[in-house]
Amino acid sequence: MSNRPTCLELCKLLRDAALIVLLATVAGAAINGRLLWQVWSGRTVISSESLPVGELLPMPVSLPELKSLPAGEVLLLDARGRDLYLQGHLPAARNLPWGEIETLLEAFRNEVPVDRSLVIYCSGYGCEDSFLLAQRLMVEGYADVRVFEGGLPEWQDAGLPVEEGQP
Amino acid sequence: MKNLKPILYHFCRLLLGGLFVYAGVVKALDPTGFAGEIANYQILPYRLNFLVATTLPFVELLAGLLLVINCKVRSATLVIGGLNLVFMLALSSLLVRGLDIDCGCFRPGAHTSVQAALWRDAGLMVLAIVTFFGSDRRRA
């Protein structure tokens, strides 16, 4: 077993291994600096390039901004499917699944006036449903539509309460 | 028999290195999607999922590249072995907690069961051990 490293060699190997990890970590963080900055400052994560060009772009809302809004000032909309919504959603949020928008839109329009302020979220991590729903509602005439891009994961991670079932 | 040893070593080194380069590249191209896959493990908080998703693929990529070009092989294999150990612990925690998610090991959205991913990681560990002890210590 002459290929077995000695103690000194093992120390050098571990040092080089640590250097590989450090170098790659710094490179990764530098290359993705913009994304990390967006996440840390609670800004939108989806790049506008991934959305259709020429469409209306909803404004992002960060977690601190959302928390500072007085209760009832905005209507929270959960763009995820019904099962996920029932498992847990932001307090007082209403479910409007993007996948069922065609069947649910008319009832929503009859119930919610177009001057109502809306904040839409979904599952975070690049989930596009909240953006797509926001764009659709803007096309339908809703003027103040914002997207909370961190969605349920960022909300839960901040230790904020989550409601189950219907609000 | 003596001629087989270097062939086995180079085969394991290139296979292991190539796999990690591939895994690193596909994940580095979609850091947000990869952050979602890490979030499915329910181990790290929201922001750390993004930090790991933006840095881990580059560690895999660099360590894999070093193996492919036959440079700093033992240190790179230590990194890969260490990563593999962490992956296996995370996958085992899924089994203990009864979570059935996609492992997020390679291509996002590829559905590999937790058990299959664990067996694959065990195979990678064997490749890493053969590569580590098969490498020329003077070139380590």
Side-chain angles (χ1 to χ4, degrees):
Chain A
M1 294 300 274
S2 61
N3 248 2
R4 221 179 235 176
T6 63
C7 196
L8 184 67
E9 280 173 337
L10 197 63
C11 284
K12 280 170 86 175
L13 287 178
L14 286 172
R15 184 201 62 194
D16 286 350
L19 268 176
I20 292 170
V21 173
L22 185 70
L23 201 70
T25 302
V26 170
I31 290 169
N32 293 290
R34 187 162 159 244
L35 174 67
L36 286 174
W37 179 77
Q38 283 174 320
V39 170
W40 249 259
S41 56
R43 291 189 184 222
T44 173
V45 168
I46 289 184
S47 62
S48 54
E49 299 94 61
S50 67
L51 293 166
V53 182
E55 297 268 356
L56 297 160
L57 275 183
M59 289 295 289
V61 58
S62 67
L63 180 64
E65 284 170 330
L66 185 60
K67 278 197 308 187
S68 70
L69 292 173
E73 189 173 302
V74 295
L75 175 61
L76 278 168
L77 291 179
D78 188 322
R80 301 172 304 151
R82 189 166 173 75
D83 288 350
L84 287 173
Y85 170 80
L86 291 175
Q87 282 171 26
H89 52 81
L90 268 61
R94 185 185 160 140
N95 192 206
L96 186 59
W98 169 242
E100 296 170 45
I101 187 67
E102 298 309 329
T103 48
L104 299 174
L105 187 61
E106 197 178 335
F108 181 82
R109 281 199 62 171
N110 291 336
E111 211 179 316
V112 181
V114 289
D115 58 356
R116 188 86 163 94
S117 297
L118 308 173
V119 169
I120 308 175
Y121 71 91
C122 53
S123 309
Y125 303 108
C127 157
E128 290 188 352
D129 288 7
S130 51
F131 274 79
L132 297 168
L133 181 61
Q135 285 184 319
R136 180 62 192 269
L137 292 175
M138 288 169 96
V139 171
E140 293 296 323
Y142 289 89
D144 182 14
V145 185
R146 283 170 282 176
V147 168
F148 170 43
E149 221 292 308
L152 189 68
E154 190 180 10
W155 181 270
Q156 275 181 310
D157 193 57
L160 295 166
V162 172
E163 253 177 30
E164 286 176 23
Q166 293 289 355
Chain B
M1 202 56 196
K2 219 177 172 185
N3 289 338
L4 264 179
K5 259 179 99 175
I7 294 173
L8 181 69
Y9 159 68
H10 287 300
F11 174 78
C12 290
R13 172 180 65 80
L14 288 171
L15 185 62
L16 192 62
L19 276 172
F20 269 76
V21 168
Y22 171 70
V25 168
V26 288
K27 284 182 276 198
L29 290 174
D30 182 15
T32 307
F34 183 42
E37 303 213 326
I38 301 172
N40 290 337
Y41 282 81
Q42 298 174 28
I43 293 175
L44 297 173
Y46 179 74
R47 288 173 181 177
L48 277 186
N49 288 328
F50 276 96
L51 188 64
V52 173
T54 51
T55 54
L56 178 66
F58 289 85
V59 179
E60 293 182 334
L61 185 58
L62 181 59
L65 266 179
L66 288 170
L67 284 194
V68 170
I69 62 172
N70 209 5
C71 171
K72 297 275 176 200
V73 169
R74 288 192 158 190
S75 303
T77 312
L78 270 184
V79 172
I80 284 178
L83 286 179
N84 222 18
L85 201 64
V86 173
F87 297 158
M88 289 175 86
L89 284 174
L91 287 166
S92 306
S93 82
L94 290 179
L95 285 182
V96 171
R97 290 177 293 158
L99 291 173
D100 183 24
I101 59 162
D102 173 48
C103 77
C105 309
F106 290 94
R107 201 159 38 85
H111 296 292
T112 311
S113 76
V114 175
Q115 285 89 344
L118 262 172
W119 279 112
R120 186 170 57 196
D121 281 355
L124 292 179
M125 212 51 146
V126 173
L127 289 181
I129 290 167
V130 173
T131 307
F132 186 88
F133 288 104
S135 67
D136 184 346
R137 62 200 290 184
R138 283 161 301 178
R139 298 190 58 176

